[in-house]
Amino acid sequence: MSLSCRYAARSCARPLRSRASVRVATPFLQSTASAPRRHNATEAVTTNPKISGIVDQISQLTLLETADLVSSLKTRLNIPDLPVGGFAAAAPAAPAAAVEEAEEAAPAAAEKTLFTLKLTAFEAGAKAKIIKEIKSLLGLSLVDSKKFVESAPKTMKESVPKDEAEKIMATMKDLGATVVME
């Protein structure tokens, strides 16, 4: 039984019993009865002063400073960027990719229908337009799109049909980017 359910059960049972006859039977209930509830507590829990100082400093940061802090911690601690779905969303994709590779290897003589698009270079003056286009094509945030463009050469999309790949290549070429279809 979760703690909130126990609290609700005790709250409902209190009016039925008189205060004088209430006895706490288990050690768990004795410890929680005297301790302040987390949801009722307005004061911070006393912790290490070093930790509380860090928490105070972090709580005063702006959103941009917090984003910089997160990226700095990720690089210092070697934490990889995970997709939004995390590991659970990435796990089913691996077996499907293996099946697709097996299917592509078998009809090697047939015409290739799916392509990989790779951003290889871009004009410096058209960087902002290219970032916006990458943002709309890949569904990335503006910051991630900027990092993506600046880290060229990089794979944009995989398993793209030929007609769609040609449209993307034409759009990117008009903006001043060089995209290769592999």
Side-chain angles (χ1 to χ4, degrees), residues 50-182:
K50 184 177 179 181
I51 301 295
S52 62
I54 293 171
V55 169
D56 290 339
Q57 290 175 352
I58 290 174
S59 64
Q60 294 173 356
L61 294 177
T62 64
L63 186 59
L64 292 174
E65 292 170 336
T66 306
D68 289 341
L69 174 67
V70 169
S71 63
S72 298
L73 286 173
K74 282 184 178 181
T75 55
R76 169 121 1 132
L77 301 174
N78 295 328
I79 299 172
D81 288 332
L82 298 177
V84 176
F87 289 115
V99 171
E100 288 179 16
E101 290 177 2
E103 289 176 2
E104 288 181 17
E111 183 181 331
K112 188 173 181 180
T113 57
L114 298 177
F115 296 91
T116 300
L117 293 177
K118 187 174 186 179
L119 176 67
T120 56
F122 60 91
E123 296 176 8
K127 184 177 176 182
K129 293 177 185 177
I130 294 168
I131 290 171
K132 288 180 183 177
E133 186 64 26
I134 292 291
K135 180 180 183 270
S136 66
L137 279 174
L138 303 181
L140 299 173
S141 69
L142 190 60
V143 173
D144 290 337
S145 300
K146 182 177 183 269
K147 289 179 184 177
F148 182 89
V149 170
E150 290 174 346
S151 66
K154 196 163 185 179
T155 302
M156 288 175 47
K157 283 190 163 188
E158 294 178 347
S159 302
V160 181
K162 185 175 182 177
D163 56 339
E164 185 180 341
E166 290 173 348
K167 288 178 187 176
I168 293 172
M169 283 184 61
T171 304
M172 296 301 284
K173 184 177 180 182
D174 292 342
L175 293 175
T178 305
V179 178
V180 175
M181 192 166 49
E182 297 174 345

